[in-house]
mmCIF file of all heavy atoms in Angstrom:
data_model
loop_
_atom_site.group_PDB
_atom_site.id
_atom_site.type_symbol
_atom_site.label_atom_id
_atom_site.label_comp_id
_atom_site.label_asym_id
_atom_site.label_seq_id
_atom_site.Cartn_x
_atom_site.Cartn_y
_atom_site.Cartn_z
ATOM 1 N N PRO R 389 109.105 126.832 79.332
ATOM 2 C CA PRO R 389 109.875 125.822 80.065
ATOM 3 C C PRO R 389 109.494 125.736 81.524
ATOM 4 O O PRO R 389 109.538 124.673 82.129
ATOM 5 C CB PRO R 389 111.324 126.299 79.898
ATOM 6 C CG PRO R 389 111.308 127.141 78.670
ATOM 7 C CD PRO R 389 109.971 127.792 78.638
ATOM 8 N N SER R 390 109.105 126.855 82.076
ATOM 9 C CA SER R 390 108.733 126.831 83.472
ATOM 10 C C SER R 390 107.383 126.168 83.674
ATOM 11 O O SER R 390 107.118 125.554 84.704
ATOM 12 C CB SER R 390 108.681 128.263 83.995
ATOM 13 O OG SER R 390 108.654 128.266 85.374
ATOM 14 N N LEU R 391 106.531 126.295 82.650
ATOM 15 C CA LEU R 391 105.214 125.673 82.770
ATOM 16 C C LEU R 391 105.239 124.201 82.404
ATOM 17 O O LEU R 391 104.277 123.485 82.654
ATOM 18 C CB LEU R 391 104.209 126.382 81.854
ATOM 19 C CG LEU R 391 103.872 127.825 82.163
ATOM 20 C CD1 LEU R 391 102.832 128.330 81.181
ATOM 21 C CD2 LEU R 391 103.361 127.963 83.579
ATOM 22 N N ALA R 392 106.343 123.790 81.774
ATOM 23 C CA ALA R 392 106.384 122.415 81.241
ATOM 24 C C ALA R 392 105.998 121.346 82.261
ATOM 25 O O ALA R 392 105.187 120.482 81.951
ATOM 26 C CB ALA R 392 107.741 122.121 80.632
ATOM 27 N N PRO R 393 106.552 121.352 83.450
ATOM 28 C CA PRO R 393 106.160 120.298 84.388
ATOM 29 C C PRO R 393 104.669 120.301 84.671
ATOM 30 O O PRO R 393 104.029 119.251 84.736
ATOM 31 C CB PRO R 393 106.938 120.623 85.665
ATOM 32 C CG PRO R 393 107.988 121.572 85.278
ATOM 33 C CD PRO R 393 107.531 122.288 84.066
ATOM 34 N N ALA R 394 104.111 121.491 84.817
ATOM 35 C CA ALA R 394 102.683 121.573 85.124
ATOM 36 C C ALA R 394 101.856 121.111 83.933
ATOM 37 O O ALA R 394 100.867 120.387 84.095
ATOM 38 C CB ALA R 394 102.319 123.005 85.498
ATOM 39 N N ILE R 395 102.252 121.519 82.742
ATOM 40 C CA ILE R 395 101.465 121.127 81.567
ATOM 41 C C ILE R 395 101.518 119.618 81.364
ATOM 42 O O ILE R 395 100.505 118.986 81.084
ATOM 43 C CB ILE R 395 101.978 121.848 80.299
ATOM 44 C CG1 ILE R 395 101.737 123.344 80.427
ATOM 45 C CG2 ILE R 395 101.287 121.307 79.068
ATOM 46 C CD1 ILE R 395 102.204 124.126 79.218
ATOM 47 N N THR R 396 102.701 119.052 81.517
ATOM 48 C CA THR R 396 102.765 117.607 81.305
ATOM 49 C C THR R 396 102.054 116.859 82.428
ATOM 50 O O THR R 396 101.445 115.813 82.186
ATOM 51 C CB THR R 396 104.208 117.103 81.198
ATOM 52 O OG1 THR R 396 104.984 117.688 82.238
ATOM 53 C CG2 THR R 396 104.809 117.438 79.857
ATOM 54 N N ALA R 397 102.111 117.389 83.636
ATOM 55 C CA ALA R 397 101.343 116.749 84.715
ATOM 56 C C ALA R 397 99.868 116.774 84.362
ATOM 57 O O ALA R 397 99.151 115.775 84.491
ATOM 58 C CB ALA R 397 101.592 117.469 86.047
ATOM 59 N N GLY R 398 99.390 117.907 83.908
ATOM 60 C CA GLY R 398 97.999 118.030 83.514
ATOM 61 C C GLY R 398 97.669 117.124 82.344
ATOM 62 O O GLY R 398 96.604 116.520 82.299
ATOM 63 N N ALA R 399 98.598 117.037 81.389
ATOM 64 C CA ALA R 399 98.349 116.179 80.223
ATOM 65 C C ALA R 399 98.251 114.724 80.641
ATOM 66 O O ALA R 399 97.381 113.977 80.170
ATOM 67 C CB ALA R 399 99.454 116.371 79.199
ATOM 68 N N ALA R 400 99.134 114.308 81.530
ATOM 69 C CA ALA R 400 99.101 112.917 81.993
ATOM 70 C C ALA R 400 97.783 112.614 82.671
ATOM 71 O O ALA R 400 97.146 111.588 82.410
ATOM 72 C CB ALA R 400 100.254 112.659 82.959
ATOM 73 N N LEU R 401 97.351 113.515 83.528
ATOM 74 C CA LEU R 401 96.079 113.306 84.214
ATOM 75 C C LEU R 401 94.917 113.339 83.237
ATOM 76 O O LEU R 401 93.966 112.579 83.360
ATOM 77 C CB LEU R 401 95.872 114.365 85.292
ATOM 78 C CG LEU R 401 96.775 114.275 86.516
ATOM 79 C CD1 LEU R 401 96.427 115.370 87.510
ATOM 80 C CD2 LEU R 401 96.623 112.931 87.172
#
Side-chain angles (χ1 to χ4, degrees):
Chain R
S390 195
L391 295 182
I395 295 180
T396 46
L401 290 182

